[in-house]
Structure formats: structure tokens, C-alpha cells
Amino acid sequence: MERQVAIVGAGISGLLACKYALSKGYHPIVFESKSEIGGVWIKTVETTMLQTPKESFQFSDFPWPSSVTEDFPSQHQVYDYIKSYAQHFDLVKHIKLNTKVVGISYQVQGSNDEEVMKSWKLWGGNGEAFGNGGKWNLTVEDCLTQSTEVYQVDFVILCLGRFSDVPNLPEFPPEKGPEAFAGKVIHSMDYSAMDYSSAAEFVKGKRVTVVGLQKSALDIARECSIANGVEIPCTLLYKTEHWNVPDYVPWGVPLAYFYLNRFSELLVHKPGEGFFLSLLATILSPVKWGFSKFVESYIKSKLKLKKFGIVPKHSFSEEISSCLISTVPEDFFDRVEKGGIILNKAPKFCFCKEGVVIDGETAPLKTDLVILATGFKGDQKLKDIFEELTFKDYIAGSSNSRVPLYRECIHPRIPQLAVIGFSESLSNLYTSEMRSRWLMELVDGAFKLPSIKEMEKDVEKWDKHMKKYSPMYYRRSCIGTLHIWYNDQLCKDMGWNPKRKKGFFAELFEPYGPMDYAPTASK
């Protein structure tokens, strides 16, 4: 009897999980709460473009069409590319649109006893993908009729998406939050959900304050500036300066040569490395520092960061290790210089009737509309889908650690379940594809996982790495500048050759990308 695999979410990760499940002979059922596939790429701010060069953001067996000549395609081009992938591999027929999984619960075969699971030394009791024969019950709501149905499956793959649905909202003292404000407060996801003309009309003629300094904040502030010009400038409130990049070729050298090849990873201490690699990383640490300063000098010069008083206090290496890199809209700082966008550092702020009160300033910043581009709570979204309190606690981990996933996919103590797309990289499509392939090799029995204790020790090693190289943002769950080292572990698990280049110098210095792991490449 065929094992039933369920996939929650039909964004990029869900589509990849579906494709590779089909390649192993399974017939997955994919639940998607929206009316379309594509996840965050269904609808974005009008000016949003791909954040990484397209050669790093592509399916290994489905290259970009020749008609897309831009290095950084637009939202429409990315969305069309994703849909074409789904159609090419006939994935759509496996997807139930407008169906939201509101909760999942696990039933041990013949028992609901949690003590049975706590006694396991191997994942699922025997170290195999389908464990001891337990089942997952998925409560699914039809978003059109609000009716619910329970599906019972053998394995669940959560592809919930980290940057949607559950906004990260700042906390304010009593009576000093949005309720004290006479104007309107929305989150960036509400702005992005509007059609382009409605969004432009919504901000037209208003004094807008955007909170944040990452990609959504920059894009929205720019659009407000386009709508209102210097007559009604948009104010951008930010807490921390970031190394947002103007492009990916600092001083004419592609950034990939500094951070996306094996040599660059020799400069970093890695989880599970031996004595020689540890010694080498220590010896070469000045080179790592030099790379960071080289890139920083370019960004400061190109964007005139000193002039605008927004030079970050942390290094570029820390920024990229945290997966926080984003590109600045081409004319963003031109608009700052002309007065259409006003930058205002505000480590803390609250609301009053007239607008925003910034700590240390006596007069309020008068405004009509506040847009909070403050990110999302992906970990909360992941936690909320579980019905059992034990699993909620497991997946959340501790308050001073990352979401504890082995190989960024498997929780050692949650059986017959995997997570794809939560942990970030510098190219999430590329990483989600590798994880989907690894997972389906595991599900198909090509290899087994180590013991629960061994997996937990490995998770701790990656947690320590993040705290070392990304101290402020270690909870972001990012493999950052160790994507080759990470992929090496996946390749070794699957029995593949992790060395994908031809020749010593190519292996050491050429950047790695999706096509190095294409199905046609040697395993």
C-alpha cells in the first residue's frame, strides 16, 4: 500500500517537495491556502525585483527562459518562471488551492502515549521516515466554504513560508501603541496585498512614515516618494543600519568570489570541522576581515553612507552570514538627497494622536500613515500549526537558540515530518531544492538518520556557529556563507560526490550554484 505524503504550502519549497516526491513514485497531496501557487511571489510591492542574480536563483533542471535577459528579473518574471516550472512537471493537479491546514496532530500506532515517543533513541522509533507506523491527522479548512475535513497521512512536509501571514509587530507601552494614533497603521504585507494603482492612490497626498531598513521598507519608501515627491516626503524610521548593497560587483569583482566558493569557506570556522580546517580558518581570518572591508569600502563609496549617517557598526561579513543582504533600489539615495525620502534613526518610538514620538525628541513626528515593514514571525507560524503542546515546545526550541532542525529539515523528536524553506540561505530556491532532494532520498530509504542524541549534538554545533558569526541575528536560522559546507553534508548523506567542479583551482575558487547539482551532473 502506498504511503501518503502531504505537503503544506505551494510556494517554491512546496512545489520542489512535490516534484521530488513524484520522482520517487509518491503521489503527494499539496494544501495551499491561497487561490494561486507561488507563495510570496504571487503578489509583491510593484517595484520588487529578485534579490540575487538569476543564475543563483533557478531550478537545476529548469533554467530561466532565454527571453529573460535581466540579471535581476521583476516580480512578474519570477512568478511566471515558477508557474512554468509547476506546469512543466505537471504539479498543479496535485495541489488543492484555497485549502488551509489549520492544525496537525500525531498518533502513535496503537497509542497516544507521549512517553512512548520520549523513550525513542532513533527518529520515529526506528530511524526511518515512516517510523513505527504512526499517522498524522491534518485538519484542513476550505477557505471558500469554511467547512473542515480531516486527512490522515503517513508523512508531512511543512513548506509554510517564513515571510508571510504572521507579521512581526513592535510592542509598545500601554496607551502608546497604534490605538493612540489618529491616523492609520498597517503592516507591509497589507500594502503589498493591494493592486499597484490602489497602493499608489492609498499613499497619495499622505505624510507617510515607513518603519524598517530592509528590502520591503526601501521599496515602499521609494514608491511613496514617487507618489508624493519632495512636497510630501516619506520618512523612513530605522533602528539599525544595514549593509544593503547597490549591486553584486564591488569594485568590479563579483561578490560570489568572496563568499560563494570553497576558498571563502576556508576562512570560516565550520560546524563539525576537524583540527586542520579549524587551524586554517584561524590563520586565514585576516583574509576574511580584508574581504569584508573591501566590500564595505565599495558600499560606503557608492551609496555615500557617511554623508547620510548610516554606516553600520557591524561588519559586512556579519550581515551576509545573517542572510540580511538586500539590494537598494537604483535611485533610492538620489531621492534621499533630493528630499523625497527622509532617513531618521529611531531605536525606540511610540505613538501619539498626531503621529510618532521618537525617544529623545520632544516634538512628535506628524504623520497620516505608518507602514510597519518589520518582518514576519516565521517561527510562530511554524509553532502554531501543531496541536500537541509537546510538539509546539519542540519546534520552538529555547529562547536563546534557533529552531532546532537537523540538516535544517528534521526535528529529531518529531517523527514522520520535515520542514523545507524555513532556514534561509543566500538563494532560498537553490537551498530548498537541495533539501527536497535530500529529504526524498531519506523518505525513499537511501540512507538513515543518526540517533536522536547525535542529531541534537549536530544542531547545537550549527547553533554555536550562528552565534559566533551572526551574534545579533543568530535566531534567523541562516546557513549564510556556509552553503557549500552544508550541501557537502547533504551530498555525503545521499552518497553523492560533494566535489562538483572539474580541476583543483575550479573546485577551490569558482562560485557554486544550482547547476553544479543538476541531475545531469555527476553524483
Side-chain angles (χ1 to χ4, degrees):
M1 182 176 173
E2 182 186 326
R3 303 282 194 175
Q4 180 64 66
V5 175
I7 299 168
V8 184
I12 287 174
S13 295
L15 295 174
L16 283 162
C18 180
K19 188 261 185 183
Y20 283 102
L22 287 167
S23 74
K24 293 298 182 181
Y26 296 97
H27 295 86
I29 179 170
V30 185
F31 299 102
E32 171 52 57
S33 61
K34 296 183 175 64
S35 58
E36 300 176 70
I37 63 170
V40 295
W41 288 102
I42 296 172
K43 186 72 179 67
T44 68
V45 175
E46 182 176 6
T47 54
T48 295
M49 299 169 68
L50 191 61
Q51 288 296 285
T52 53
K54 69 174 186 286
E55 63 266 19
S56 296
F57 189 94
Q58 62 181 326
F59 302 102
S60 68
D61 52 2
F62 191 74
W64 281 90
S66 58
S67 58
V68 179
T69 57
E70 298 86 351
D71 287 334
F72 300 92
S74 68
Q75 178 262 331
H76 293 295
Q77 291 170 312
V78 176
Y79 182 52
D80 288 343
Y81 176 57
I82 294 168
K83 286 197 299 181
S84 296
Y85 175 83
Q87 291 162 0
H88 178 78
F89 289 105
D90 201 19
L91 307 181
V92 179
K93 68 182 180 183
H94 300 278
I95 301 170
K96 286 182 170 290
L97 299 172
N98 298 303
T99 55
K100 182 179 181 180
V101 177
V102 295
I104 63 174
S105 62
Y106 184 72
Q107 183 177 348
V108 183
Q109 188 177 28
S111 170
N112 283 318
D113 190 1
E114 289 183 5
E115 294 303 317
V116 173
M117 290 186 283
K118 289 179 180 178
S119 69
W120 289 342
K121 290 181 172 55
L122 296 173
W123 184 55
N126 60 6
E128 297 180 2
F130 296 106
N132 63 359
K135 300 283 186 179
W136 281 99
N137 294 315
L138 282 67
T139 302
V140 180
E141 179 185 272
D142 186 309
C143 298
L144 302 178
T145 65
Q146 278 72 59
S147 61
T148 60
E149 185 176 352
V150 176
Y151 290 77
Q152 192 169 76
V153 301
D154 300 286
F155 198 94
V156 175
I157 307 174
L158 298 179
C159 304
L160 299 175
R162 186 167 175 174
F163 302 105
S164 61
D165 300 326
V166 183
N168 178 39
L169 301 174
E171 295 183 359
F172 301 97
E175 300 180 7
K176 292 187 177 182
E179 71 280 356
F181 178 44
K184 192 171 183 63
V185 181
I186 65 170
H187 189 266
S188 57
M189 71 176 188
D190 302 312
Y191 179 89
S192 299
M194 302 179 191
D195 63 70
Y196 299 152
S197 58
S198 297
E201 187 62 31
F202 181 65
V203 300
K204 184 74 175 176
K206 293 186 177 73
R207 296 170 295 179
V208 182
T209 297
V210 178
V211 180
L213 198 63
Q214 291 297 104
K215 184 57 179 171
S216 293
L218 301 179
D219 282 345
I220 293 171
R222 178 177 179 270
E223 291 194 4
C224 292
S225 174
I226 292 172
N228 294 321
V230 296
E231 293 78 14
I232 312 177
C234 173
T235 300
L236 190 64
L237 292 187
Y238 66 94
K239 181 178 180 180
T240 305
E241 298 85 354
H242 287 286
W243 292 107
N244 297 316
V245 299
D247 53 57
Y248 286 82
V249 282
W251 302 120
V253 183
L255 192 65
Y257 284 94
F258 294 108
Y259 292 102
L260 298 179
N261 59 16
R262 286 194 182 276
F263 178 75
S264 68
E265 295 195 2
L266 291 177
L267 316 181
V268 181
H269 287 285
K270 296 166 281 294
E273 67 186 357
F275 173 77
F276 175 74
L277 288 178
S278 177
L279 179 63
L280 199 59
T282 301
I283 293 171
L284 293 175
S285 59
V287 180
K288 173 178 171 290
W289 178 88
F291 282 179
S292 185
K293 292 303 176 185
F294 182 85
V295 177
E296 290 167 24
S297 68
Y298 175 74
I299 298 173
K300 285 191 286 188
S301 173
K302 189 77 180 274
L303 300 181
K304 304 175 184 175
L305 298 188
K306 283 187 178 180
K307 177 179 181 179
F308 300 116
I310 56 169
V311 177
K313 295 179 175 62
H314 59 279
S315 69
F316 180 80
S317 288
E318 186 175 324
E319 189 93 15
I320 198 169
S321 295
S322 307
C323 295
L324 284 168
I325 299 300
S326 59
T327 54
V328 178
E330 189 173 358
D331 62 349
F332 180 85
F333 282 102
D334 289 338
R335 293 180 177 278
V336 173
E337 198 156 22
K338 292 174 182 176
I341 298 173
I342 298 173
L343 301 174
N344 195 333
K345 184 167 183 175
K348 290 185 179 181
F349 72 94
C350 60
F351 287 92
C352 65
K353 185 177 180 180
E354 294 85 4
V356 173
V357 179
I358 299 169
D359 272 18
E361 297 186 12
T362 53
L365 173 63
K366 294 182 179 180
T367 188
D368 304 307
L369 170 66
V370 175
I371 303 176
L372 301 171
T374 48
F376 295 86
K377 289 185 175 180
D379 52 349
Q380 186 65 47
K381 186 178 178 182
L382 197 58
K383 180 180 177 180
D384 287 347
I385 201 167
F386 291 95
E387 294 180 5
E388 288 94 346
L389 181 59
T390 300
F391 286 162
K392 287 179 182 286
D393 291 340
Y394 282 160
I395 202 70
S398 67
S399 59
N400 65 345
S401 68
R402 303 153 67 238
V403 170
L405 299 175
Y406 177 72
R407 299 289 193 252
E408 308 297 324
C409 296
I410 300 289
H411 192 289
R413 297 189 181 275
I414 303 181
Q416 297 167 232
L417 179 138
V419 179
I420 302 288
F422 180 82
S423 172
E424 294 180 83
S425 75
L426 301 181
S427 177
N428 290 328
L429 184 155
Y430 166 24
T431 306
S432 287
E433 180 166 18
M434 286 298 294
R435 289 171 181 163
S436 296
R437 296 169 78 175
W438 176 87
L439 175 62
M440 295 319 302
E441 291 292 325
L442 170 65
V443 169
D444 203 42
F447 65 93
K448 287 189 177 183
L449 298 175
S451 70
I452 289 173
K453 285 188 177 180
E454 287 178 288
M455 287 194 284
E456 289 176 337
K457 286 179 182 178
D458 188 81
V459 170
E460 287 178 13
K461 289 177 183 177
W462 280 87
D463 194 61
K464 288 179 181 177
H465 167 81
M466 278 298 294
K467 288 174 179 175
K468 178 179 177 66
Y469 288 99
S470 182
M472 287 195 299
Y473 301 101
Y474 70 90
R475 294 208 67 189
R476 286 181 64 89
S477 293
C478 162
I479 63 171
T481 52
L482 281 189
H483 80 287
I484 302 174
W485 179 260
Y486 171 77
N487 284 343
D488 284 354
Q489 317 309 311
L490 302 188
C491 287
K492 290 172 184 176
D493 290 344
M494 294 186 287
W496 296 5
N497 179 6
K499 303 290 180 65
R500 318 297 290 184
K501 302 289 189 181
K502 294 180 180 179
F504 175 79
F505 288 102
E507 187 63 54
L508 191 59
F509 295 110
E510 282 187 9
Y512 261 73
M515 293 309 173
D516 291 303
Y517 301 93
T520 54
S522 174
K523 293 182 180 180

